[in-house]
């Protein structure tokens, strides 16, 4: 039997990183899309949101390098877990990532395209050249 998911999509929010029983974990959402024609012949776009969980070194990578809006390829397994909140049992399905490839690094802060214009307050006429 095989439980494998491969998703390519955009990060919906910056990873939230925490420590679970001494092990680092990062969670974020990933949006994937689909386009199809409805019965009226109109193009319809739909977005599916996936919860992605990363553990250990992959969680550390996610915390340092992944940010909202980036295009990622995520490979992992589909898991469902349950938890209780206010007496109600809730279920959630998530992708536990085993590999992440960043497909779009985006603009890094040191690659800013803004040019800062510096205008001296007092131009000194006594320059030696």
């Amino acid at each position: 039997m095989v439980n494998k998911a491969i998703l390519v999509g955009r990060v919906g929010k910056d990873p939230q990183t925490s420590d679970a029983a001494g092990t680092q974990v990062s969670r974020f959402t990933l949006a994937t899309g689909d386009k199809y024609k409805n019965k009226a012949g109109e193009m319809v776009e739909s977005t599916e949101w996936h919860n992605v969980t990363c553990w250990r070194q992959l969680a550390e990578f996610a915390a340092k390098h992944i940010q909202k809006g980036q295009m990622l390829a995520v490979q992992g397994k589909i898991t469902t877990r349950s938890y209780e909140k206010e007496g109600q049992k809730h279920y959630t399905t998530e992708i536990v990532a085993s590999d992440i490839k960043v497909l779009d690094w985006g603009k890094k802060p040191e690659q800013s395209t803004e040019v800062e214009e510096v205008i001296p307050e007092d131009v000194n006429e006594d320059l030696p050249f």
Side-chain angles (χ1 to χ4, degrees), residues 4-9 30 32 50 72-78 95:
K4 188 173 192 173
I6 300 173
L7 302 171
V8 176
L30 191 73
T32 58
H50 308 276
L72 301 181
V74 175
Q75 182 173 309
K77 64 180 180 177
I78 301 169
I95 307 301

Side-chain angles (χ1 to χ4, degrees), residues 62-78:
K64 289 181 182 177
H65 302 290
I66 293 176
Q67 55 188 269
K68 179 180 178 177
Q70 283 181 311
M71 178 78 74
L72 301 181
V74 175
Q75 182 173 309
K77 64 180 180 177
I78 301 169

